[in-house]
Amino acid sequence: MTTPSGPGEGRLDPGLSAIMSERRQLINLAYRLLGSLADAEDVVQETYARWYAMSLRQQEAIESPGAWLTRVASRICLDLLGSARARRESYVGEWIPEPLPDRTEWSNGLPGGTTADPADRVTLDESINMAFLVVLESMTPAERVAFILHDVFRYSFTEVAEIVGRTPAACRQLASSARRRIRASQAPAIPVAQRADLVRAFKQAWEAKDIGALIGLLAPDATAIADGGGLVSAVLRPIEGGEQIARVFVEIARAPGLTILERTVNGQPGLVAQLDGVTVVVLAIDVAGDRIKHIWAVRNPEKLRPWTTA
């Protein structure tokens, strides 16, 4: 995992360049906490707005601007997580974390596109894959913040306690509870090459509309979840069972002009479907053993905006 510099590790100059250099870490943190790149960017914007709302004297009195920015961003995220559950109760259909824009073709490792600013991309590692983010969604806001700050970003429980508003001992318990959730959900690690082979075979069977091959690649108890956000047509409930999933994907493949691309999705081999060069669905895929276990299909155009090509 990445381990950005923690609070108190050297004094930062309160000048613009030093303050703005923290942006990447803040985006990394806020995305993991919220599961939405758009929301993460809003949090970082609000964090900087609060910094520049202070007088120069107040800024200079802060020993570590980086630590201050992290605390403020974390607290904003904690507040947003508290209200997110209510917002998602009114969300149309299933809510899936926003997939990170990455046009890397995992088949050959060559970039299939570029991002506006590579330095602003969220680092892709095991704490960013879709299966991990989905488990984070099941946690309480305090569990999620304590776990991410301590286990991913290596903040001490004393520092976490200041952000969460609980004792260090309570934060330790929160992180421990979150850790148990993660362990309970994790399947044995699968080599990346094996994942890639399965996803590529799925792509080829999907393109060929080969329902038998698709069924053979999917676990019998596989689950597929689509997120349309009420803005596009999408199955509103999870699709259970490999055979049923295969039949749905064969129907999708009948759409004229559909192009399926191998792309990296949250650090794992995934697929992107385009119509006339426009991304219409991003598939994050989780593998267990020698079968595909979970498919998360993001169709909400608001979440796909960074993926859409002109």
Side-chain angles (χ1 to χ4, degrees):
M1 290 186 183
T2 57
T3 308
S5 58
E9 293 183 13
R11 180 182 176 85
L12 297 175
D13 188 285
L16 176 63
S17 61
I19 292 300
M20 294 308 293
S21 70
E22 296 293 322
R23 184 177 184 277
R24 180 175 180 177
Q25 177 177 339
L26 296 175
I27 289 285
N28 268 277
L29 173 65
Y31 175 76
R32 285 170 171 85
L33 290 178
L34 301 175
S36 166
L37 189 57
D39 287 348
E41 290 170 342
D42 288 344
V43 165
V44 173
Q45 183 175 346
E46 172 63 21
T47 300
Y48 279 119
R50 295 187 186 186
W51 171 265
Y52 286 109
M54 294 189 296
S55 67
L56 181 59
R57 182 185 296 274
Q58 289 173 315
Q59 293 173 0
E60 291 175 340
I62 295 173
E63 182 177 355
S64 174
W68 184 93
L69 291 167
T70 297
R71 285 195 300 272
V72 171
S74 298
R75 287 169 180 160
I76 295 172
C77 288
L78 186 60
D79 290 341
L80 287 174
L81 285 170
S83 61
R85 291 176 183 243
R87 294 199 310 272
R88 288 178 193 159
E89 285 179 0
S90 62
Y91 192 84
V92 178
E94 299 286 331
W95 190 92
I96 298 174
E98 182 181 342
L100 292 175
D102 188 333
R103 300 188 181 95
T104 301
E105 295 182 39
W106 49 262
S107 60
N108 54 23
L110 298 176
T114 58
T115 54
D117 183 356
D120 287 342
R121 285 175 50 191
V122 177
T123 303
L124 298 177
D125 61 22
E126 63 267 36
S127 74
I128 218 75
N129 71 57
M130 190 62 74
F132 186 95
L133 292 174
V134 168
V135 178
L136 290 181
E137 288 296 314
S138 70
M139 298 179 185
T140 67
E143 279 180 331
R144 187 165 183 166
V145 172
F147 174 74
I148 292 296
L149 285 173
H150 180 266
D151 283 44
V152 178
F153 286 86
R154 306 303 183 190
Y155 283 81
S156 71
F157 283 119
T158 299
E159 293 163 330
V160 174
E162 183 181 352
I163 293 169
V164 177
R166 305 195 186 190
T167 66
C171 290
R172 188 182 299 275
Q173 288 299 317
L174 288 169
S176 177
S177 174
R179 219 172 286 125
R180 286 194 297 272
R181 292 176 187 255
I182 294 292
R183 284 197 298 264
S185 69
Q186 284 181 329
I190 305 297
V192 173
Q194 184 177 336
R195 287 177 178 269
D197 286 344
L198 274 169
V199 175
R200 181 174 295 114
F202 184 89
K203 171 182 179 287
Q204 293 169 348
W206 187 13
E207 290 173 325
K209 307 179 189 64
D210 187 338
I211 191 168
L214 287 171
I215 292 172
L217 292 166
L218 291 158
D221 60 347
T223 302
I225 298 175
D227 177 347
L231 302 176
V232 295
S233 61
V235 179
L236 298 181
R237 295 181 180 178
I239 304 170
E240 306 283 352
E243 182 174 349
Q244 184 61 26
I245 294 170
R247 294 186 184 283
V248 170
F249 272 84
V250 166
E251 287 303 311
I252 294 171
R254 300 188 194 283
L258 186 73
T259 301
I260 305 168
L261 306 171
E262 297 176 352
R263 291 291 184 264
T264 300
V265 180
N266 286 60
Q268 301 286 347
L271 299 172
V272 168
Q274 294 185 341
L275 285 175
D276 300 322
V278 177
T279 296
V280 293
V281 62
V282 171
L283 299 180
I285 298 171
D286 193 34
V287 173
D290 59 353
R291 300 285 186 93
I292 291 172
K293 180 74 170 178
H294 297 288
I295 298 176
W296 295 281
V298 180
R299 298 207 60 218
N300 185 334
E302 293 182 350
K303 296 182 179 182
L304 295 182
R305 193 170 293 127
W307 290 79
T308 304
T309 57

